[in-house]
Amino acid sequence: MFKHSLIIVFVLAFFSAHAQMSDRLAEHPTAKMTVARKSSTEAAAIAETREMTNRLHLNEGQFLKLLPLNRTRLAGMHNIDQQYRADEPTRAAKVAELEAQFEQECSRILTPSQLSQLQQQNGQPNDGPSNAGNGLG
């Protein structure tokens, strides 16, 4: 008898918590959009990192280090696009700043040759490997 009462208490607690969470999501419809955007950003980051792996012949360690960088860059691009959509000069400056940070982080992961390839494929001039890493971490 005690066992059945305990089960009923747990079931009621579960349904109560579930109802509260549903109410919170209903109050904040952007929460659902945020989850969808995060999964979309994650998929895009994986796709971009895989594409970089194919183009630049990355090893597994480089892939694992670049994936969070691509996640951060793509999320940052989305935020910049949202915040500065009406202010093109500021948006362009913020994007350039984000790309410079991304390239700086890439220089710590990629070999000088890989970094040069990345710069060429992104349409940037190749001024030599300034602060280029050795690709070993």
Side-chain angles (χ1 to χ4, degrees):
M1 185 70 159
F2 175 73
K3 199 177 202 180
H4 294 290
S5 299
L6 192 58
I7 291 173
I8 290 173
V9 168
F10 281 125
V11 168
L12 290 174
F14 171 78
F15 283 117
S16 174
H18 181 70
Q20 287 177 353
M21 183 59 78
S22 295
D23 289 344
R24 286 184 186 151
L25 285 177
E27 291 173 7
H28 302 289
T30 57
K32 289 181 182 179
M33 289 176 23
T34 302
V35 170
R37 185 177 14 183
K38 283 183 181 178
S39 65
S40 172
T41 300
E42 177 67 14
I46 290 170
E48 177 130 351
T49 308
R50 283 185 181 150
E51 191 268 331
M52 288 175 74
T53 299
N54 292 332
R55 274 190 302 148
L56 305 174
H57 307 289
L58 304 179
N59 62 39
E60 184 178 349
Q62 290 172 315
F63 177 92
L64 292 174
K65 290 176 183 176
L66 282 174
L67 182 57
L69 291 182
N70 278 321
R71 271 189 210 117
T72 301
R73 184 173 63 85
L74 291 171
M77 292 290 263
H78 179 77
N79 289 339
I80 290 168
D81 287 343
Q82 292 297 312
Q83 284 184 322
Y84 302 103
R85 74 174 69 143
D87 184 358
E88 183 55 34
T90 303
R91 190 184 85 64
K94 294 287 186 181
V95 166
E97 182 181 324
L98 182 65
E99 290 295 338
Q101 289 172 350
F102 177 74
E103 186 176 319
Q104 180 66 34
E105 293 298 319
C106 285
S107 74
R108 296 183 178 130
I109 298 167
L110 302 176
T111 65
S113 173
Q114 290 169 327
L115 186 60
S116 177
Q117 275 184 284
L118 180 66
Q119 290 169 337
Q120 287 173 355
Q121 291 167 353
N122 290 343
Q124 298 173 0
N126 184 10
D127 296 336
S130 62
N131 296 328
N134 61 7
L136 299 176

